[in-house]
Amino acid sequence: MRPANIRVPALPPQPGTDHSDCRAVASVLARVGDKWSVFVIMMLIDGPRRFNELKRTIAGISQRMLTLTLRGLERDGLVTRTVFPTIPPRVDYELTDLGRGLAEPVRALGQWAFEHLPEIEGARRDFDVRNAD
Amino acid sequence: MRPANIRVPALPPQPGTDHSDCRAVASVLARVGDKWSVFVIMMLIDGPRRFNELKRTIAGISQRMLTLTLRGLERDGLVTRTVFPTIPPRVDYELTDLGRGLAEPVRALGQWAFEHLPEIEGARRDFDVRNAD
DNA sequence: CTGTATCCGACGTGATACTG
DNA sequence: CAGTATCACGTCGGATACAG
C-alpha cells in the first residue's frame, strides 16, 4: 500500500496529517463497514454461537453471506471457528481477544450512531427536501 | 438527479428486535465503511478544504467518487458545502459539529486498527497459508 | 474550478440446488 | 446441521467527455 521508496517520517499520532496509516484504517474499516460483519460481531459479544443460531438471530442474512462474513472475520483473526466432529456437525464461532478488542471501539461508534441518529435522519430529510425543488 | 450511491434505506427484514439499534449502527457504519468517507473526514479534521484540494490530497480517488462521497456526507449532516460565487468558482467543505463528533470514535477505531495491524496481517497470512494446503 | 452525464467492466448479493 | 457451487442481477466505481 504505502510506496516502498518513500520513508514515512515518525509523525506524532496526528490523524489527518499522516496518510500512511489511513490505508490501514481503511483496511479495517472495510471489514467493519461490511454489511454484516458488525452484526455478527455484536451477536458474538455475549459468547460463542453456532452457525444457524447466528443465521436465525440476524434474520435477513443469506447463508452465503453469513459464511463469507464469518470467513472474513476468521481470516482477520477476529473470530475462531471450532468444529465438533459429531453427527450432525456442530460449529461454534467465538470472538478472539483481538475481536473483543475491536468490538469495543465498534460499540463506541455504534453508540454514537444511536445517539445521533435523529440528527442524521433529520439532516437527510432536509437534504432530500432541498434537493427536490 | 440523485446519485444512487447515497441511498441507505430499505434494509430488508429487521434483524433481531432485541438489537434493533444495530440497524442504526449499520446505517452509520455503512457510511463510515465507505471506501472514501473516512479519508475525507480525516482530511477535514484540520479545517475546511476545497474540492480539488481534497482530490489532490487523497490522490487515488476519482472526481466522481469524491463528489459522491461529499454528497453523502453532506446529506447526513456531517459536512457543510459552502459555495463562493466567484470566477472561477470556489467551494469549501467543512466538518459540522456532528461530523467532528463522528470523527472522534472513528479516530479511536482507526487507532485500534493501526495498533493491531500487525496481528491482523499476521492472521491473514496464517489463514491464507492454512487455506493453501 | 467544480462539478454532471454516460458508458462499461468488476464485484457484491441473493436464490436455489446440491453435498458430507 | 453446516456448508459449497452455480447462476442471475443490481450496484459500485473508474474513465472519459462535457457543462456552468
Side-chain angles (χ1 to χ4, degrees):
Chain A
M1 289 298 188
R2 182 214 305 162
N5 55 342
I6 297 179
R7 194 63 197 91
V8 177
L11 288 175
Q14 185 75 291
T17 58
D18 187 350
H19 301 186
S20 62
D21 58 349
C22 286
R23 304 284 183 179
V25 172
S27 172
V28 172
L29 288 186
R31 170 139 323 287
V32 168
D34 268 1
K35 189 175 179 181
W36 301 109
S37 290
V38 165
F39 284 115
V40 173
I41 291 176
M42 293 298 183
M43 295 306 167
L44 291 179
I45 283 183
D46 301 327
R49 302 282 172 176
R50 301 182 57 174
F51 184 86
N52 270 357
E53 198 175 355
L54 289 171
K55 188 172 187 309
R56 240 181 301 107
T57 313
I58 298 181
I61 192 173
S62 67
Q63 195 170 23
R64 171 188 162 83
M65 280 305 106
L66 180 54
T67 299
L68 290 178
T69 301
L70 287 169
R71 286 292 176 282
L73 293 172
E74 186 193 358
R75 178 169 184 264
D76 286 0
L78 301 169
V79 160
T80 57
R81 178 173 179 271
T82 309
V83 180
F84 300 90
T86 59
I87 297 179
R90 167 190 177 142
V91 180
D92 273 12
Y93 292 92
E94 185 174 13
L95 285 183
T96 62
D97 289 340
L98 193 63
R100 273 184 288 273
L102 174 59
E104 187 139 347
V106 165
R107 186 145 64 177
L109 193 58
Q111 184 176 347
W112 183 94
F114 186 67
E115 290 172 353
H116 295 272
L117 195 66
E119 302 174 57
I120 292 178
E121 286 177 342
R124 284 178 182 172
R125 271 201 316 274
D126 291 352
F127 182 90
D128 292 343
V129 167
R130 278 200 310 274
N131 195 311
D133 35 318
Chain B
M1 172 180 299
R2 187 172 59 199
N5 192 24
I6 58 181
R7 297 183 54 204
V8 180
L11 271 93
Q14 300 195 8
T17 53
D18 189 6
H19 301 79
S20 60
D21 57 343
C22 286
R23 290 188 305 133
V25 173
S27 173
V28 172
L29 287 187
R31 170 137 326 286
V32 168
D34 269 0
K35 189 175 180 181
W36 301 109
S37 290
V38 165
F39 285 111
V40 173
I41 290 175
M42 293 299 182
M43 295 307 166
L44 292 179
I45 282 183
D46 299 327
R49 303 283 174 182
R50 299 182 59 174
F51 184 86
N52 269 1
E53 198 174 356
L54 289 171
K55 188 171 186 309
R56 241 181 303 106
T57 312
I58 298 182
I61 191 173
S62 66
Q63 196 168 20
R64 169 190 162 87
M65 281 304 107
L66 180 55
T67 300
L68 290 177
T69 301
L70 288 169
R71 286 293 176 282
L73 293 172
E74 186 193 358
R75 179 170 183 260
D76 287 0
L78 301 170
V79 161
T80 57
R81 179 173 179 270
T82 308
V83 180
F84 300 90
T86 59
I87 297 179
R90 170 197 175 136
V91 180
D92 274 12
Y93 293 92
E94 186 174 14
L95 284 183
T96 62
D97 289 340
L98 193 63
R100 273 184 289 272
L102 174 59
E104 191 84 15
V106 166
R107 185 151 65 178
L109 194 57
Q111 185 176 348
W112 183 94
F114 186 67
E115 290 171 353
H116 295 272
L117 194 66
E119 301 175 56
I120 293 178
E121 286 177 342
R124 282 178 182 172
R125 269 198 310 277
D126 291 351
F127 182 90
D128 292 342
V129 167
R130 278 200 311 275
N131 195 310
D133 294 340

